Amino acid sequence: MRKHTPFVLAAFGTLGLVMHNGASAANYVEAIDGDLSGDETSPTAIALDLGANTITGTTIDSPLDRDFFSFTIGAGQSLDSLVLTSFTGDPPSNEAFMAVDDQFGFDSLFDTSDFLGTTLIGLGDVGTDALDLLGATEFGGDGFTGPLGEGTYTFWFQETGGPTSYTFTANVVPEPGSAAALLLSVGGLMLRRRTR
């Protein structure tokens, strides 16, 4: 047995834990887990795991139903993408308003300049990373590019044109330089070396 074999086994053992955490990512389905908060100061807190986490909700226009949800990205992690994976509106041409802020809740819904980002999103954006749209600040905000790092973020989703259903996939990954990312890199290198 070569000297580095125990290290490789330890690395892959830890890698297995990381991969397992990704496989057991969270799923929040409003119809099952409860109505997402309509209060901007007290959003529904959703716990995300490493990997692909899904958030599914619905909004209606009468009475007005806004969805506010929040999650915290832990140390050594980042929200790599927030992909709109499904969208159903009535009529289908409707687009929903979406905003994000980098705190728990929104201080005000009337001053978008204080937000992190804003956009309209709809059927034509299915498969698109909403972070790219939000970062462009279509209706005001500070703006940002790329993944969102450690911190708490609150999202606002609203459609006033008719009933709307949506699903987002929130992909949480280890940040480059974090222990989990290092183990993934080392494990890959050792596997490649072993197969030569």
Side-chain angles (χ1 to χ4, degrees):
M1 190 177 257
R2 294 185 180 175
K3 278 186 185 177
H4 63 268
T5 302
F7 176 75
V8 172
L9 292 175
F12 279 109
T14 307
L15 177 61
L17 290 175
V18 171
M19 299 292 277
H20 174 72
N21 283 344
S24 64
N27 297 302
Y28 190 97
V29 180
E30 193 176 31
I32 297 169
D33 300 309
D35 190 35
L36 289 166
S37 175
D39 181 352
E40 69 272 16
T41 64
S42 183
T44 300
I46 299 174
L48 301 185
D49 295 322
L50 280 173
N53 303 264
T54 60
I55 301 160
T56 300
T58 58
T59 65
I60 57 174
D61 57 334
S62 183
L64 182 59
D65 176 31
R66 299 175 172 129
D67 284 352
F68 297 96
F69 56 90
S70 178
F71 44 76
T72 299
I73 303 300
Q77 300 177 351
S78 66
L79 179 64
D80 186 60
S81 62
L82 184 68
V83 178
L84 180 65
T85 48
S86 72
F87 183 94
T88 305
D90 183 23
S93 59
N94 283 352
E95 289 185 311
F97 175 79
M98 189 174 184
V100 61
D101 207 354
D102 53 352
Q103 62 181 13
F104 185 78
F106 289 90
D107 295 328
S108 168
L109 300 183
F110 303 104
D111 185 4
T112 59
S113 65
D114 286 341
F115 296 177
L116 187 58
T118 55
T119 193
L120 287 179
I121 194 164
L123 184 61
D125 300 304
V126 170
T128 299
D129 184 358
L131 296 184
D132 292 338
L133 301 175
L134 289 163
T137 64
E138 189 173 355
F139 298 99
D142 295 334
F144 62 94
T145 57
L148 296 176
E150 178 182 354
T152 298
Y153 301 94
T154 300
F155 292 85
W156 167 15
F157 187 93
Q158 173 182 329
E159 171 50 57
T160 58
T164 301
S165 299
Y166 61 89
T167 298
F168 287 100
T169 299
N171 295 294
V172 180
V173 299
E175 281 192 333
S178 70
L182 179 62
L183 283 170
L184 287 170
S185 298
V186 169
L189 287 173
M190 296 306 281
L191 179 62
R192 193 165 65 195
R193 181 175 175 182
R194 183 79 172 151
T195 56
R196 281 185 178 172

